[in-house]
Amino acid sequence: AKRLGRNTYSFFSKEMNAKMLRRFKIEEQMHGALERNELELYYQPQFDVKSQKIIGVEALLRWHNIELGNVTPDEFIPIAEHTGLIIPIGRFVLQQALSFLYELQHIHHKKLTMAVNLSPRQFRDAELLSFIKKSLSIAGVSAEYLELEITEGVLMSGQSHIHDALIEISNMGIKLSMDDFGTGYSSLSYLRQYAFDVLKIDRSFINGIPASKEDCELVNTIIAMAHSLGLMVVAEGVETAEQLSLLDKLNCNLVQGYYFSKPLPAKGLLSFLVD
Ligand code: C2E
Ligand code: CA
Ligand code: CA
Ligand code: CA
């Protein structure tokens, strides 16, 4: 790198250093994050398009650290995956989400569903299925109200234990949701092969409607295709009334996005429900 000249060298090394330093700090701080109680679940409501009623929530993780401030999931989840810390963190997420689901259903009498994100790495945990079973029974909620969101990255490895895990998840009565549809490999055969219940259209497509003809056409096609496979469709990242009304016309089932609500802490979600 020195051959590029002194200025170039120091420019790159400064940028690289800052990036690596932050990554290192995140990794270092993440080790104690659970013990220090720094992780908290937020919940974003999902709405039925036709009735405009709330039908469920998606659990989204938030991390506040004294040294780093707020770290976004897009920044810390990949590092947690890489280090394997996603295993204990993912367990915390599932337990918290299920215990809140119990509270919603049995204390506040709201028959809502709970969607929880699962990372590819969590499927390498031999105890994943037994942990999910145990957590459902400890929380006292029935499997049909839990929805597990996975991305195509999970399926692409083609490993047989992942195949078996997904089949068992469906057999337990848990709903399977294909997250970020349209961004990755987006294979139809995956949707058929595994018993998916829900397809979530990625925010990047919803962002383009109704302005982009191409995105409108794509969203229309995805919804029609999903329905022909018997899947429910969720549009992510709905921010405007125009988007909502087009999604209604295209027979999209459910929507999630800032137009209705940002992800809220448990208390905030509860007051959202009574207001
Ligand atoms: P995701 O699963 O696709 O979650 C949706 C993201 O879109 C969330 O970002 C949410 O806050 C954001 N969002 C929702 N509505 C709108 C909108 O109308 N406009 C815009 N601009 N954004 C909207 P968030 O919470 O920052 O999470 C980012 C990603 O981190 C998630 O994407 C998910 O892949 C991952 N993640 C979050 N929590 C967990 C978790 O508990 N476990 C795992 N494995 N991954 C998680
Ligand atoms: Ca998700
Ligand atoms: Ca998504
Ligand atoms: Ca995503």
Side-chain angles (χ1 to χ4, degrees), residues 224-261:
M225 174 212 73
H227 284 164
S228 75
L229 291 170
L231 302 174
M232 291 280 276
V233 181
V234 183
E236 300 192 303
V238 175
E239 294 184 354
T240 68
E242 290 72 32
Q243 290 169 337
L244 181 65
S245 108
L246 178 59
L247 289 163
D248 185 12
K249 278 193 204 108
L250 299 179
N251 293 316
C252 182
N253 307 93
L254 308 172
V255 287
Q256 199 181 327
Y258 295 172
Y259 179 72
F260 283 107
S261 173

Coordinates of all heavy atoms in Angstrom, one line a residue, residues 224-261:
A224 N -49.7 -11.7 -6.9 CA -50.5 -12.7 -7.6 C -49.9 -14.1 -7.5 O -50.6 -15.1 -7.3 CB -50.6 -12.3 -9.1
M225 N -48.5 -14.2 -7.7 CA -47.8 -15.4 -7.6 C -48.0 -16.0 -6.2 O -48.2 -17.2 -6.0 CB -46.4 -15.2 -7.9 CG -45.5 -16.4 -7.7 SD -43.9 -15.8 -7.2 CE -44.2 -15.3 -5.6
A226 N -47.8 -15.2 -5.1 CA -47.9 -15.6 -3.8 C -49.3 -16.2 -3.5 O -49.4 -17.3 -2.9 CB -47.5 -14.5 -2.8
H227 N -50.3 -15.5 -4.0 CA -51.7 -16.0 -3.7 C -51.9 -17.3 -4.4 O -52.6 -18.1 -3.9 CB -52.7 -14.9 -4.2 CG -52.8 -13.8 -3.2 ND1 -53.3 -12.6 -3.5 CD2 -52.3 -13.7 -1.9 CE1 -53.3 -11.8 -2.5 NE2 -52.7 -12.4 -1.5
S228 N -51.3 -17.4 -5.6 CA -51.5 -18.7 -6.3 C -50.9 -19.9 -5.6 O -51.3 -21.0 -5.7 CB -51.0 -18.6 -7.8 OG -49.6 -18.7 -7.8
L229 N -49.9 -19.6 -4.7 CA -49.3 -20.6 -3.9 C -49.9 -20.7 -2.5 O -49.4 -21.4 -1.7 CB -47.8 -20.3 -3.8 CG -46.9 -20.5 -5.0 CD1 -45.5 -19.9 -4.8 CD2 -46.8 -21.9 -5.5
G230 N -51.0 -19.9 -2.3 CA -51.7 -19.9 -1.0 C -51.0 -19.2 0.1 O -51.2 -19.5 1.3
L231 N -50.1 -18.2 -0.2 CA -49.4 -17.5 0.8 C -50.1 -16.1 1.1 O -50.7 -15.5 0.2 CB -48.0 -17.2 0.4 CG -47.1 -18.4 0.0 CD1 -45.8 -17.9 -0.5 CD2 -46.9 -19.2 1.3
M232 N -50.0 -15.7 2.4 CA -50.4 -14.4 2.7 C -49.3 -13.4 2.3 O -48.1 -13.8 2.5 CB -50.6 -14.3 4.3 CG -51.8 -15.0 4.8 SD -53.3 -14.1 4.6 CE -53.2 -13.0 6.0
V233 N -49.6 -12.2 1.9 CA -48.6 -11.3 1.5 C -48.6 -10.1 2.5 O -49.6 -9.4 2.8 CB -48.8 -10.8 0.1 CG1 -47.7 -9.8 -0.3 CG2 -48.9 -11.9 -0.9
V234 N -47.4 -9.8 3.0 CA -47.1 -8.6 3.8 C -46.3 -7.6 3.0 O -45.2 -8.0 2.4 CB -46.4 -8.9 5.1 CG1 -46.2 -7.7 5.9 CG2 -47.1 -10.0 5.9
A235 N -46.7 -6.4 2.9 CA -45.8 -5.3 2.3 C -45.1 -4.6 3.4 O -45.7 -4.2 4.4 CB -46.7 -4.3 1.5
E236 N -43.8 -4.6 3.3 CA -42.9 -3.9 4.3 C -42.7 -2.5 3.9 O -42.6 -2.2 2.7 CB -41.6 -4.6 4.4 CG -41.5 -6.0 4.7 CD -40.1 -6.4 5.0 OE1 -39.2 -6.2 4.2 OE2 -39.9 -6.9 6.1
G237 N -42.5 -1.6 4.9 CA -42.1 -0.3 4.6 C -43.1 0.6 4.0 O -42.7 1.5 3.2
V238 N -44.4 0.4 4.3 CA -45.4 1.3 3.8 C -45.4 2.6 4.5 O -45.5 2.6 5.7 CB -46.8 0.6 3.9 CG1 -47.9 1.5 3.4 CG2 -46.8 -0.7 3.1
E239 N -45.2 3.7 3.7 CA -45.0 5.0 4.4 C -46.1 6.0 4.0 O -46.3 7.0 4.6 CB -43.6 5.6 4.1 CG -42.5 4.8 4.7 CD -41.1 5.4 4.4 OE1 -41.0 6.3 3.7 OE2 -40.1 4.8 5.0
T240 N -46.8 5.7 2.9 CA -47.8 6.8 2.4 C -49.2 6.2 2.1 O -49.3 5.0 1.9 CB -47.3 7.4 1.1 OG1 -47.4 6.4 0.0 CG2 -45.9 8.0 1.2
A241 N -50.2 7.0 2.1 CA -51.5 6.6 1.8 C -51.6 6.1 0.4 O -52.4 5.2 0.1 CB -52.5 7.8 2.0
E242 N -50.8 6.7 -0.5 CA -50.8 6.3 -1.9 C -50.4 4.8 -2.0 O -51.0 4.0 -2.8 CB -50.0 7.2 -2.8 CG -50.5 8.6 -3.0 CD -50.4 9.5 -1.7 OE1 -49.4 9.2 -0.9 OE2 -51.2 10.3 -1.5
Q243 N -49.3 4.5 -1.3 CA -48.8 3.1 -1.3 C -49.9 2.2 -0.8 O -50.2 1.1 -1.4 CB -47.5 3.0 -0.5 CG -46.4 3.7 -1.1 CD -45.2 3.8 -0.1 OE1 -45.3 3.7 1.1 NE2 -44.0 3.9 -0.7
L244 N -50.5 2.6 0.3 CA -51.5 1.7 0.9 C -52.7 1.5 0.0 O -53.2 0.4 -0.2 CB -52.0 2.4 2.2 CG -53.1 1.6 3.0 CD1 -52.5 0.3 3.5 CD2 -53.6 2.4 4.2
S245 N -53.1 2.5 -0.7 CA -54.3 2.4 -1.5 C -54.0 1.5 -2.8 O -54.8 0.7 -3.2 CB -54.9 3.7 -1.9 OG -54.7 4.1 -3.2
L246 N -52.8 1.6 -3.3 CA -52.4 0.8 -4.4 C -52.3 -0.7 -4.0 O -52.8 -1.6 -4.6 CB -51.1 1.2 -5.1 CG -50.6 0.3 -6.2 CD1 -51.6 0.2 -7.3 CD2 -49.2 0.8 -6.7
L247 N -51.7 -0.9 -2.8 CA -51.6 -2.3 -2.2 C -53.0 -2.9 -2.0 O -53.2 -4.1 -2.2 CB -50.8 -2.3 -1.0 CG -49.3 -2.0 -1.2 CD1 -48.6 -1.6 0.1 CD2 -48.6 -3.2 -1.8
D248 N -53.9 -2.1 -1.6 CA -55.3 -2.5 -1.4 C -55.8 -3.0 -2.8 O -56.4 -4.1 -2.9 CB -56.1 -1.4 -0.8 CG -57.5 -1.8 -0.5 OD1 -57.8 -3.0 -0.5 OD2 -58.4 -0.9 -0.2
K249 N -55.6 -2.2 -3.8 CA -56.1 -2.5 -5.2 C -55.5 -3.8 -5.7 O -56.1 -4.6 -6.4 CB -55.8 -1.4 -6.2 CG -56.8 -0.3 -6.2 CD -56.6 0.6 -7.4 CE -57.2 2.0 -7.1 NZ -56.1 3.0 -6.9
L250 N -54.2 -4.0 -5.3 CA -53.5 -5.2 -5.7 C -53.8 -6.5 -4.8 O -53.1 -7.5 -5.0 CB -52.0 -5.0 -5.8 CG -51.5 -3.8 -6.8 CD1 -50.0 -3.7 -6.7 CD2 -52.0 -4.1 -8.2
N251 N -54.7 -6.3 -3.9 CA -55.1 -7.4 -3.0 C -54.0 -7.9 -2.0 O -54.0 -9.0 -1.6 CB -55.6 -8.6 -3.8 CG -56.9 -8.2 -4.5 OD1 -57.8 -7.6 -3.8 ND2 -57.1 -8.6 -5.7
C252 N -53.1 -7.0 -1.7 CA -52.1 -7.3 -0.7 C -52.9 -7.5 0.6 O -53.8 -6.8 0.9 CB -51.1 -6.1 -0.6 SG -49.8 -6.4 0.6
N253 N -52.5 -8.5 1.4 CA -53.2 -8.8 2.6 C -52.9 -7.9 3.8 O -53.8 -7.4 4.5 CB -53.0 -10.3 3.1 CG -53.3 -11.2 2.0 OD1 -52.3 -11.6 1.2 ND2 -54.5 -11.6 1.8
L254 N -51.6 -7.8 4.1 CA -51.1 -7.1 5.3 C -50.1 -6.1 5.0 O -49.3 -6.2 4.0 CB -50.6 -8.1 6.3 CG -51.4 -9.3 6.7 CD1 -50.6 -10.3 7.5 CD2 -52.7 -8.9 7.4
V255 N -50.0 -5.0 5.8 CA -49.0 -4.0 5.6 C -48.3 -3.7 7.0 O -48.9 -3.8 8.1 CB -49.5 -2.7 5.1 CG1 -49.9 -2.9 3.6 CG2 -50.7 -2.2 5.9
Q256 N -47.1 -3.2 6.8 CA -46.3 -2.9 8.0 C -45.5 -1.7 7.5 O -45.0 -1.7 6.4 CB -45.3 -4.1 8.3 CG -44.7 -4.1 9.6 CD -43.8 -5.4 9.7 OE1 -44.0 -6.4 9.1 NE2 -42.7 -5.2 10.5
G257 N -45.4 -0.6 8.4 CA -44.6 0.5 7.9 C -44.9 1.8 8.7 O -45.8 1.8 9.5
Y258 N -44.0 2.8 8.5 CA -44.1 4.0 9.3 C -45.5 4.7 9.1 O -45.9 5.5 9.9 CB -43.0 5.0 8.9 CG -41.6 4.5 9.2 CD1 -40.5 5.2 8.8 CD2 -41.4 3.4 10.0 CE1 -39.2 4.8 9.1 CE2 -40.1 2.9 10.3 CZ -39.0 3.6 9.9 OH -37.8 3.2 10.2
Y259 N -46.2 4.4 8.0 CA -47.5 5.1 7.8 C -48.4 4.8 8.9 O -49.2 5.6 9.4 CB -48.1 4.6 6.5 CG -49.5 5.2 6.2 CD1 -49.6 6.5 5.9 CD2 -50.7 4.4 6.4 CE1 -50.9 7.1 5.7 CE2 -51.9 5.0 6.2 CZ -52.0 6.3 5.8 OH -53.3 6.8 5.6
F260 N -48.4 3.5 9.4 CA -49.2 3.2 10.6 C -48.4 3.3 11.9 O -48.9 3.9 12.9 CB -49.7 1.7 10.5 CG -50.8 1.5 9.5 CD1 -50.6 0.9 8.3 CD2 -52.1 2.0 9.9 CE1 -51.7 0.8 7.4 CE2 -53.2 1.9 9.0 CZ -53.0 1.2 7.8
S261 N -47.2 2.8 12.0 CA -46.4 3.0 13.2 C -45.0 2.5 13.0 O -44.7 1.5 12.3 CB -47.0 2.1 14.3 OG -46.2 2.1 15.4

